[in-house]
Short mmCIF file of all heavy atoms in Angstrom, two decimals:
data_model
loop_
_atom_site.label_atom_id
_atom_site.label_comp_id
_atom_site.label_asym_id
_atom_site.label_seq_id
_atom_site.Cartn_x
_atom_site.Cartn_y
_atom_site.Cartn_z
N HIS A 394 11.18 14.93 2.50
CA HIS A 394 10.97 16.38 2.53
C HIS A 394 9.83 16.74 3.47
O HIS A 394 9.83 17.75 4.13
CB HIS A 394 10.55 16.89 1.11
CG HIS A 394 10.29 18.37 1.05
ND1 HIS A 394 11.25 19.32 1.25
CD2 HIS A 394 9.11 19.09 0.89
CE1 HIS A 394 10.69 20.57 1.06
NE2 HIS A 394 9.35 20.38 0.95
N LEU A 395 8.78 15.92 3.58
CA LEU A 395 7.72 16.15 4.54
C LEU A 395 8.20 16.14 5.96
O LEU A 395 7.84 16.95 6.77
CB LEU A 395 6.57 15.05 4.34
CG LEU A 395 5.83 15.07 3.01
CD1 LEU A 395 4.89 13.98 2.93
CD2 LEU A 395 5.18 16.49 2.73
N ILE A 396 9.07 15.14 6.29
CA ILE A 396 9.64 15.11 7.68
C ILE A 396 10.55 16.28 7.87
O ILE A 396 10.47 16.84 8.99
CB ILE A 396 10.39 13.65 7.78
CG1 ILE A 396 9.41 12.62 7.68
CG2 ILE A 396 11.14 13.68 9.15
CD1 ILE A 396 10.03 11.25 7.86
N ASP A 397 11.29 16.67 6.91
CA ASP A 397 12.15 17.88 7.06
C ASP A 397 11.30 19.07 7.37
O ASP A 397 11.71 19.92 8.20
CB ASP A 397 13.02 18.08 5.79
CG ASP A 397 14.00 17.06 5.60
OD1 ASP A 397 14.35 16.31 6.54
OD2 ASP A 397 14.54 16.91 4.50
N ARG A 398 10.18 19.26 6.77
CA ARG A 398 9.32 20.38 6.93
C ARG A 398 8.75 20.34 8.38
O ARG A 398 8.61 21.37 9.04
CB ARG A 398 8.17 20.46 5.90
CG ARG A 398 8.58 20.79 4.52
CD ARG A 398 8.94 22.11 4.33
NE ARG A 398 7.82 23.04 4.62
CZ ARG A 398 7.94 24.32 4.53
NH1 ARG A 398 9.12 24.91 4.31
NH2 ARG A 398 6.81 25.16 4.80
N ALA A 399 8.47 19.08 8.83
CA ALA A 399 7.92 19.02 10.23
C ALA A 399 9.02 19.35 11.15
O ALA A 399 8.75 20.01 12.27
CB ALA A 399 7.48 17.63 10.43
N VAL A 400 10.25 18.87 10.96
CA VAL A 400 11.40 19.27 11.82
C VAL A 400 11.62 20.68 11.88
O VAL A 400 11.87 21.29 12.87
CB VAL A 400 12.64 18.48 11.42
CG1 VAL A 400 13.86 18.96 12.17
CG2 VAL A 400 12.42 16.99 11.53
N TRP A 401 11.46 21.34 10.70
CA TRP A 401 11.68 22.75 10.63
C TRP A 401 10.61 23.50 11.46
O TRP A 401 10.89 24.48 12.17
CB TRP A 401 11.58 23.29 9.17
CG TRP A 401 11.37 24.76 9.02
CD1 TRP A 401 12.39 25.69 9.04
CD2 TRP A 401 10.14 25.45 8.95
NE1 TRP A 401 11.87 26.96 8.94
CE2 TRP A 401 10.46 26.83 8.82
CE3 TRP A 401 8.84 25.06 8.77
CZ2 TRP A 401 9.53 27.84 8.71
CZ3 TRP A 401 7.83 26.03 8.66
CH2 TRP A 401 8.19 27.42 8.65
N LYS A 402 9.34 23.02 11.39
CA LYS A 402 8.29 23.64 12.18
C LYS A 402 8.48 23.48 13.67
O LYS A 402 8.09 24.41 14.46
CB LYS A 402 7.03 23.16 11.68
CG LYS A 402 5.69 23.92 12.16
CD LYS A 402 4.54 23.48 11.47
CE LYS A 402 3.36 24.40 11.93
NZ LYS A 402 2.11 24.09 11.21
N ILE A 403 9.02 22.30 14.06
CA ILE A 403 9.18 22.00 15.48
C ILE A 403 10.42 22.86 16.07
O ILE A 403 10.22 23.57 17.13
CB ILE A 403 9.44 20.54 15.72
CG1 ILE A 403 8.16 19.73 15.32
CG2 ILE A 403 9.82 20.28 17.23
CD1 ILE A 403 8.27 18.29 15.43
N PHE A 404 11.53 22.83 15.35
CA PHE A 404 12.73 23.41 15.89
C PHE A 404 13.04 24.82 15.34
O PHE A 404 14.01 25.44 15.73
CB PHE A 404 14.00 22.53 15.64
CG PHE A 404 13.88 21.26 16.41
CD1 PHE A 404 13.29 20.09 15.89
CD2 PHE A 404 14.39 21.16 17.72
CE1 PHE A 404 13.24 18.96 16.55
CE2 PHE A 404 14.32 19.93 18.41
CZ PHE A 404 13.76 18.78 17.86
N ARG A 405 12.31 25.25 14.31
CA ARG A 405 12.51 26.59 13.73
C ARG A 405 13.93 26.71 13.19
O ARG A 405 14.49 27.80 13.36
CB ARG A 405 12.27 27.65 14.76
CG ARG A 405 10.72 27.77 15.15
CD ARG A 405 9.85 28.05 14.04
NE ARG A 405 8.44 28.14 14.42
CZ ARG A 405 7.41 28.41 13.61
NH1 ARG A 405 7.71 28.62 12.28
NH2 ARG A 405 6.10 28.39 14.01
#
Side-chain angles (χ1 to χ4, degrees):
H394 178 70
L395 295 178
I396 296 180
D397 290 343
R398 292 286 297 176
V400 171
W401 168 82
K402 192 168 185 178
I403 295 174
F404 293 92
R405 293 297 178 180

